[in-house]
Amino acid sequence: EAAGLRRAAEAGIETLCLLQRDFTSRDAYDAALADVLTSHGVSLVCLAGFMRLVGTPLLEAFPDRILNIHPSLLPAFPGLD
């Protein structure tokens, strides 16, 4: 129901949602996310509003290629989960 997903659909931009609750662990989620991004030929990951800590599987899949725009001071205020 995110506004960004609606706007992307209206603009004909492909989207995909992976829900962390569908995975057994944070690492499993991050590994699946890395696999999806890699399979779509993504070379740079830009996180805006990604209110979770980024785990090792995603960091290792995109070394020095993740840009995180976070609305608070890390690590003091890490987000929701």
mmCIF file of all heavy atoms in Angstrom, residues 1-3 5 9 11 15 20 24 27 29-30 35-36 45-46 53 57 61 72-74 79 81:
data_model
loop_
_atom_site.group_PDB
_atom_site.id
_atom_site.type_symbol
_atom_site.label_atom_id
_atom_site.label_comp_id
_atom_site.label_asym_id
_atom_site.label_seq_id
_atom_site.Cartn_x
_atom_site.Cartn_y
_atom_site.Cartn_z
ATOM 1 N N GLU A 1 0.803 -1.201 0.000
ATOM 2 C CA GLU A 1 0.000 0.000 0.000
ATOM 3 C C GLU A 1 0.844 1.261 0.000
ATOM 4 O O GLU A 1 0.311 2.352 0.137
ATOM 5 C CB GLU A 1 -0.938 -0.004 1.204
ATOM 6 C CG GLU A 1 -1.935 -1.150 1.168
ATOM 7 C CD GLU A 1 -2.830 -1.174 2.395
ATOM 8 O OE1 GLU A 1 -2.962 -0.145 3.078
ATOM 9 O OE2 GLU A 1 -3.386 -2.239 2.660
ATOM 10 N N ALA A 2 2.146 1.131 -0.140
ATOM 11 C CA ALA A 2 3.032 2.294 -0.109
ATOM 12 C C ALA A 2 2.794 3.193 -1.315
ATOM 13 O O ALA A 2 2.591 2.721 -2.438
ATOM 14 C CB ALA A 2 4.484 1.835 -0.075
ATOM 15 N N ALA A 3 2.831 4.486 -1.074
ATOM 16 C CA ALA A 3 2.602 5.453 -2.148
ATOM 17 C C ALA A 3 3.616 5.289 -3.278
ATOM 18 O O ALA A 3 3.270 5.427 -4.460
ATOM 19 C CB ALA A 3 2.661 6.868 -1.581
ATOM 20 N N LEU A 5 4.966 2.555 -4.372
ATOM 21 C CA LEU A 5 4.572 1.423 -5.219
ATOM 22 C C LEU A 5 3.453 1.826 -6.174
ATOM 23 O O LEU A 5 3.437 1.446 -7.336
ATOM 24 C CB LEU A 5 4.144 0.235 -4.363
ATOM 25 C CG LEU A 5 5.250 -0.423 -3.554
ATOM 26 C CD1 LEU A 5 4.677 -1.489 -2.634
ATOM 27 C CD2 LEU A 5 6.313 -1.008 -4.471
ATOM 28 N N ALA A 9 3.714 1.933 -10.276
ATOM 29 C CA ALA A 9 2.751 1.241 -11.136
ATOM 30 C C ALA A 9 2.164 2.196 -12.171
ATOM 31 O O ALA A 9 2.029 1.852 -13.356
ATOM 32 C CB ALA A 9 1.647 0.607 -10.295
ATOM 33 N N ALA A 11 3.535 4.750 -13.404
ATOM 34 C CA ALA A 11 4.582 5.113 -14.352
ATOM 35 C C ALA A 11 5.089 3.921 -15.161
ATOM 36 O O ALA A 11 5.988 4.064 -15.982
ATOM 37 C CB ALA A 11 5.747 5.763 -13.601
ATOM 38 N N THR A 15 7.975 -3.326 -10.024
ATOM 39 C CA THR A 15 8.246 -3.379 -8.587
ATOM 40 C C THR A 15 8.151 -4.817 -8.104
ATOM 41 O O THR A 15 7.555 -5.668 -8.766
ATOM 42 C CB THR A 15 7.251 -2.519 -7.782
ATOM 43 O OG1 THR A 15 5.943 -3.025 -7.978
ATOM 44 C CG2 THR A 15 7.325 -1.069 -8.192
ATOM 45 N N GLN A 20 9.860 -9.344 5.054
ATOM 46 C CA GLN A 20 10.782 -10.047 5.942
ATOM 47 C C GLN A 20 10.072 -11.146 6.728
ATOM 48 O O GLN A 20 10.658 -12.187 7.010
ATOM 49 C CB GLN A 20 11.484 -9.084 6.885
ATOM 50 C CG GLN A 20 12.567 -9.783 7.681
ATOM 51 C CD GLN A 20 13.442 -8.836 8.466
ATOM 52 O OE1 GLN A 20 13.310 -7.628 8.398
ATOM 53 N NE2 GLN A 20 14.363 -9.400 9.217
ATOM 54 N N THR A 24 12.785 -16.955 7.332
ATOM 55 C CA THR A 24 13.086 -17.526 8.643
ATOM 56 C C THR A 24 14.049 -16.685 9.463
ATOM 57 O O THR A 24 14.130 -16.846 10.678
ATOM 58 C CB THR A 24 13.665 -18.944 8.493
ATOM 59 O OG1 THR A 24 14.842 -18.880 7.666
ATOM 60 C CG2 THR A 24 12.656 -19.881 7.855
ATOM 61 N N ASP A 27 19.034 -12.762 7.844
ATOM 62 C CA ASP A 27 20.005 -13.136 6.816
ATOM 63 C C ASP A 27 19.332 -13.790 5.617
ATOM 64 O O ASP A 27 19.734 -13.549 4.476
ATOM 65 C CB ASP A 27 21.083 -14.057 7.387
ATOM 66 C CG ASP A 27 22.180 -13.292 8.114
ATOM 67 O OD1 ASP A 27 22.220 -12.037 8.033
ATOM 68 O OD2 ASP A 27 23.007 -13.950 8.762
ATOM 69 N N TYR A 29 16.322 -13.209 4.553
ATOM 70 C CA TYR A 29 15.668 -12.112 3.839
ATOM 71 C C TYR A 29 16.692 -11.329 3.015
ATOM 72 O O TYR A 29 16.489 -11.072 1.820
ATOM 73 C CB TYR A 29 14.964 -11.190 4.828
ATOM 74 C CG TYR A 29 14.443 -9.923 4.216
ATOM 75 C CD1 TYR A 29 13.271 -9.910 3.468
ATOM 76 C CD2 TYR A 29 15.118 -8.716 4.383
ATOM 77 C CE1 TYR A 29 12.795 -8.744 2.898
ATOM 78 C CE2 TYR A 29 14.643 -7.544 3.820
ATOM 79 C CZ TYR A 29 13.478 -7.566 3.082
ATOM 80 O OH TYR A 29 13.020 -6.407 2.522
ATOM 81 N N ASP A 30 17.797 -10.952 3.637
ATOM 82 C CA ASP A 30 18.819 -10.183 2.930
ATOM 83 C C ASP A 30 19.411 -10.972 1.770
ATOM 84 O O ASP A 30 19.707 -10.401 0.715
ATOM 85 C CB ASP A 30 19.918 -9.747 3.880
ATOM 86 C CG ASP A 30 19.541 -8.511 4.683
ATOM 87 O OD1 ASP A 30 18.408 -8.018 4.526
ATOM 88 O OD2 ASP A 30 20.379 -8.040 5.470
ATOM 89 N N ASP A 35 19.689 -11.756 -4.065
ATOM 90 C CA ASP A 35 19.477 -12.616 -5.239
ATOM 91 C C ASP A 35 18.554 -11.951 -6.258
ATOM 92 O O ASP A 35 18.821 -11.970 -7.464
ATOM 93 C CB ASP A 35 18.895 -13.968 -4.827
ATOM 94 C CG ASP A 35 19.897 -14.854 -4.113
ATOM 95 O OD1 ASP A 35 21.118 -14.570 -4.183
ATOM 96 O OD2 ASP A 35 19.456 -15.833 -3.478
ATOM 97 N N VAL A 36 17.455 -11.367 -5.776
ATOM 98 C CA VAL A 36 16.512 -10.705 -6.683
ATOM 99 C C VAL A 36 17.172 -9.523 -7.374
ATOM 100 O O VAL A 36 17.053 -9.348 -8.591
ATOM 101 C CB VAL A 36 15.248 -10.255 -5.919
ATOM 102 C CG1 VAL A 36 14.408 -9.308 -6.747
ATOM 103 C CG2 VAL A 36 14.420 -11.446 -5.494
ATOM 104 N N VAL A 45 22.556 -0.115 -5.217
ATOM 105 C CA VAL A 45 21.366 -0.190 -4.373
ATOM 106 C C VAL A 45 21.225 1.141 -3.634
ATOM 107 O O VAL A 45 22.148 1.558 -2.938
ATOM 108 C CB VAL A 45 21.476 -1.347 -3.357
ATOM 109 C CG1 VAL A 45 20.268 -1.384 -2.437
ATOM 110 C CG2 VAL A 45 21.628 -2.673 -4.093
ATOM 111 N N CYS A 46 20.100 1.799 -3.819
ATOM 112 C CA CYS A 46 19.810 3.059 -3.129
ATOM 113 C C CYS A 46 18.657 2.807 -2.173
ATOM 114 O O CYS A 46 17.558 2.468 -2.598
ATOM 115 C CB CYS A 46 19.433 4.153 -4.126
ATOM 116 S SG CYS A 46 20.760 4.529 -5.269
ATOM 117 N N LEU A 53 18.126 -2.498 9.514
ATOM 118 C CA LEU A 53 19.574 -2.611 9.375
ATOM 119 C C LEU A 53 19.875 -3.520 8.192
ATOM 120 O O LEU A 53 19.208 -4.538 7.990
ATOM 121 C CB LEU A 53 20.189 -3.192 10.650
ATOM 122 C CG LEU A 53 20.036 -2.333 11.904
ATOM 123 C CD1 LEU A 53 20.557 -3.093 13.115
ATOM 124 C CD2 LEU A 53 20.741 -1.014 11.746
ATOM 125 N N PRO A 57 24.555 -10.522 4.099
ATOM 126 C CA PRO A 57 24.365 -11.032 2.737
ATOM 127 C C PRO A 57 24.175 -9.927 1.683
ATOM 128 O O PRO A 57 24.714 -10.024 0.581
ATOM 129 C CB PRO A 57 23.118 -11.901 2.853
ATOM 130 C CG PRO A 57 23.088 -12.340 4.277
ATOM 131 C CD PRO A 57 23.610 -11.142 5.037
ATOM 132 N N ALA A 61 26.973 -8.799 -1.231
ATOM 133 C CA ALA A 61 26.564 -8.881 -2.632
ATOM 134 C C ALA A 61 26.810 -7.570 -3.378
ATOM 135 O O ALA A 61 27.011 -7.573 -4.589
ATOM 136 C CB ALA A 61 25.084 -9.262 -2.723
ATOM 137 N N SER A 72 17.583 9.497 10.359
ATOM 138 C CA SER A 72 18.059 9.760 11.716
ATOM 139 C C SER A 72 19.536 9.429 11.848
ATOM 140 O O SER A 72 20.160 8.922 10.935
ATOM 141 C CB SER A 72 17.239 8.969 12.735
ATOM 142 O OG SER A 72 17.514 7.599 12.637
ATOM 143 N N LEU A 73 20.058 9.705 13.007
ATOM 144 C CA LEU A 73 21.461 9.493 13.284
ATOM 145 C C LEU A 73 21.716 8.031 13.654
ATOM 146 O O LEU A 73 21.153 7.519 14.610
ATOM 147 C CB LEU A 73 21.886 10.413 14.440
ATOM 148 C CG LEU A 73 23.338 10.360 14.869
ATOM 149 C CD1 LEU A 73 24.256 10.805 13.730
ATOM 150 C CD2 LEU A 73 23.546 11.246 16.079
ATOM 151 N N LEU A 74 22.564 7.363 12.880
ATOM 152 C CA LEU A 74 22.926 5.971 13.176
ATOM 153 C C LEU A 74 24.222 5.954 13.978
ATOM 154 O O LEU A 74 25.085 6.799 13.745
ATOM 155 C CB LEU A 74 23.106 5.196 11.873
ATOM 156 C CG LEU A 74 21.827 4.922 11.086
ATOM 157 C CD1 LEU A 74 22.166 4.261 9.766
ATOM 158 C CD2 LEU A 74 20.875 4.072 11.875
ATOM 159 N N GLY A 79 16.085 2.686 13.533
ATOM 160 C CA GLY A 79 14.863 2.416 12.782
ATOM 161 C C GLY A 79 13.938 1.493 13.542
ATOM 162 O O GLY A 79 14.053 1.315 14.751
ATOM 163 N N ASP A 81 13.189 -1.998 13.203
ATOM 164 C CA ASP A 81 13.606 -3.336 13.613
ATOM 165 C C ASP A 81 15.095 -3.497 13.472
ATOM 166 O O ASP A 81 15.605 -4.168 12.670
ATOM 167 C CB ASP A 81 12.873 -4.403 12.792
ATOM 168 C CG ASP A 81 11.379 -4.362 13.044
ATOM 169 O OD1 ASP A 81 10.979 -4.288 14.208
ATOM 170 O OD2 ASP A 81 10.631 -4.403 12.063
#
